Amino acid sequence: TGTDMADNGGNVGTAAGSFVADTTQPIGTLSINSGNTYTTSLDAVLSMEYSSDVSSVRYRNDGGSWTPWEGAGSVRQWLLASGGSGNRGVDVQMKDNAGNIAPISDTISYDATTPTGTITIAGGLVYATTRSVALSLEYGNVGDVASIALSNNGVSWTVISGTPSTYNWTLEGADGTKWVYLKIVDASGLQSTYADSIILDRQGPSCRVLVNEDDLYTNNGTVTLTISAGDEITWVGSMSLSNDGASWSAWQAYQAGTVSWNLVTGSGGTVANGYRYVQVRFMDNAGNIAGTTTDKIMYDNTTPQGTITINEAATYTTSRQVRLNSSWDDNASGVEYARYGTSAGTLGQWESPATIRTWLFDADGTGAVYMQLKDRCGNTSTVVSDSIVVDTGVPAVTVGSPQAG
């Protein structure tokens, strides 16, 4: 092309040259919190992908003010717009090396309202004479309930299918005041816990035995039996114990209160892991043998086994947020907890195990995640780990001027 130019004296000259006009808008994608539908926090993570010629970007909440232009990165921390529950939008503008600007955006639903509900044990009765009780469950908004779970202690939970209005439940532990907890989780992950109590009283004229105060699990063969013969203990003269109801210990003087017993070496015991049914029978001073009373406990002294991989055992990742895939096995009581860390010596708090879990590395480079498991009997596994190379850097792209023909 040529350009005519004139000086102050009216002389005209022509300058020639060539250039390439770039009017193509850059392209890209934006994802809030890895594409999740809901969030319960205004703190968010933005993930972006761009065409290679994008040199700078700027951000804003939907309808808000733009940030200054900054270098194009693939991940950015972001604070969503304040306010109550509702949709939140984020806009991003991309600018390429030629100055072309194009928008990308994404939305996510912010939920700040916890779900509501109630739980009632045995229709509101004060007492229960059996561990089996009927629960009445109500929900503030059934359509918003994603899942529910029940617990006897507020720590170990049983997930319940659907949103039943009634549910048969088994109380745990020795007689006394018993609490049952209802946890409601809505679609966004917010949860609320409600509870009701009842007095469990199974004490009658018959005899009874409790293993470790009616604990469900143990990893120690030596346990403590709490033994009573009801209200008429004056007529009880002797007692005998067994682990299987077939092989019994020698008769010994009746002892109300606590007695040490071994699940492995006691009469009818075995080294195998599994449930133990400890039985006690009583004999009066005339030689009449009374009925047998039983309690059970899970015996498990074997450590659980587990494995962990990062991003399905990938070697590299371009995101600091990765996916952990875990598997485990336990021969008897089952795995109840897991904990994670970046080294075997910096493991975090125990939490419910998950076959899939996200993890966020602090920086690029070789990152490792360590995992340890604990079963219901308290046995802990060997720490296992996996590693991956994290590289979130964007390759540099140089665009040169075309050569003149």
Side-chain angles (χ1 to χ4, degrees), residues 21-36:
D22 179 2
T23 61
T24 302
Q25 289 188 332
I27 58 175
T29 60
L30 168 64
S31 175
I32 304 174
N33 287 358
S34 301
N36 289 339

Side-chain angles (χ1 to χ4, degrees), residues 45-387:
V45 177
L46 308 182
S47 302
M48 288 78 63
E49 294 183 356
Y50 320 100
S51 50
S52 60
D53 58 346
V54 172
S55 59
S56 57
V57 293
R58 62 179 181 176
Y59 308 82
R60 71 173 183 182
N61 284 314
D62 190 15
S65 300
W66 291 103
T67 65
W69 289 100
E70 59 185 69
S74 61
V75 178
R76 192 186 196 282
Q77 300 293 129
W78 185 254
L79 183 65
L80 300 174
S82 61
S85 300
N87 289 333
R88 297 292 190 273
V90 178
D91 301 322
V92 177
Q93 284 188 336
M94 308 171 292
K95 183 191 293 185
D96 64 18
N97 294 321
N100 299 303
I101 297 175
I104 51 176
S105 63
D106 193 19
T107 61
I108 194 168
S109 180
Y110 171 59
D111 185 1
T113 305
T114 57
T116 59
T118 62
I119 178 174
T120 305
I121 305 173
L125 294 176
V126 177
Y127 298 97
T129 58
T130 174
R131 283 188 176 141
S132 298
V133 294
L135 307 179
S136 299
L137 310 174
E138 294 183 356
Y139 318 93
N141 183 0
V142 174
D144 192 41
V145 176
S147 66
I148 68 168
L150 295 168
S151 173
N152 280 309
N153 56 19
V155 177
S156 301
W157 295 91
T158 299
V159 177
I160 307 301
S161 176
T163 53
S165 58
T166 60
Y167 195 83
N168 293 326
W169 184 251
T170 302
L171 303 173
E172 294 179 351
D175 288 1
T177 300
K178 298 297 170 188
W179 289 87
V180 180
Y181 300 83
L182 167 66
K183 179 166 65 176
I184 305 175
V185 182
D186 66 17
S188 65
L190 285 177
Q191 64 184 42
S192 298
T193 301
Y194 302 91
D196 191 24
S197 65
I198 196 167
I199 298 174
L200 175 63
D201 185 2
R202 299 167 296 149
Q203 181 65 45
S206 62
C207 311
R208 71 169 182 171
V209 60
L210 298 178
V211 182
N212 281 359
E213 296 185 349
D214 221 16
D215 279 351
L216 297 178
Y217 307 97
T218 183
N219 59 10
N220 192 332
T222 300
V223 295
T224 299
L225 308 183
T226 302
I227 298 174
S228 68
D231 297 330
E232 300 177 1
I233 59 175
T234 55
W235 61 265
V236 178
S238 304
M239 64 181 185
S240 177
L241 298 91
S242 173
N243 279 309
D244 61 2
S247 178
W248 291 87
S249 70
W251 289 100
Q252 63 189 63
Y254 169 71
Q255 179 180 340
T258 59
V259 175
S260 181
W261 181 249
N262 195 285
L263 303 174
V264 177
T265 61
S267 299
T270 174
V271 296
N273 288 177
Y275 278 111
R276 293 290 192 278
Y277 296 84
V278 179
Q279 303 180 43
V280 184
R281 60 185 179 176
F282 302 88
M283 183 169 60
D284 65 15
N285 292 323
N288 299 305
I289 298 177
T292 300
T293 183
T294 305
D295 194 23
K296 73 175 182 179
I297 193 168
M298 167 63 72
Y299 171 61
D300 179 3
N301 67 345
T302 304
T303 60
Q305 305 295 316
T307 63
I308 184 173
T309 60
I310 304 175
N311 285 1
E312 289 78 34
T315 304
Y316 298 93
T317 179
T318 59
S319 172
R320 291 181 183 173
Q321 181 168 295
V322 295
R323 182 173 57 257
L324 308 182
N325 295 87
S326 304
S327 63
W328 52 81
D329 180 66
D330 188 77
N331 72 321
S333 62
V335 172
E336 185 176 28
Y337 295 111
R339 59 180 180 176
Y340 307 85
T342 54
S343 72
T346 59
L347 296 174
Q349 298 295 316
W350 291 108
E351 60 185 69
S352 297
T355 56
I356 298 177
R357 185 191 192 279
T358 59
W359 186 265
L360 185 63
F361 287 109
D362 293 332
D364 286 12
T366 300
V369 179
Y370 292 74
M371 178 184 74
Q372 187 178 39
L373 304 169
K374 181 193 287 186
D375 66 20
R376 289 180 174 85
C377 285
N379 303 301
T380 55
S381 71
T382 301
V383 178
V384 295
S385 67
D386 192 22
S387 63

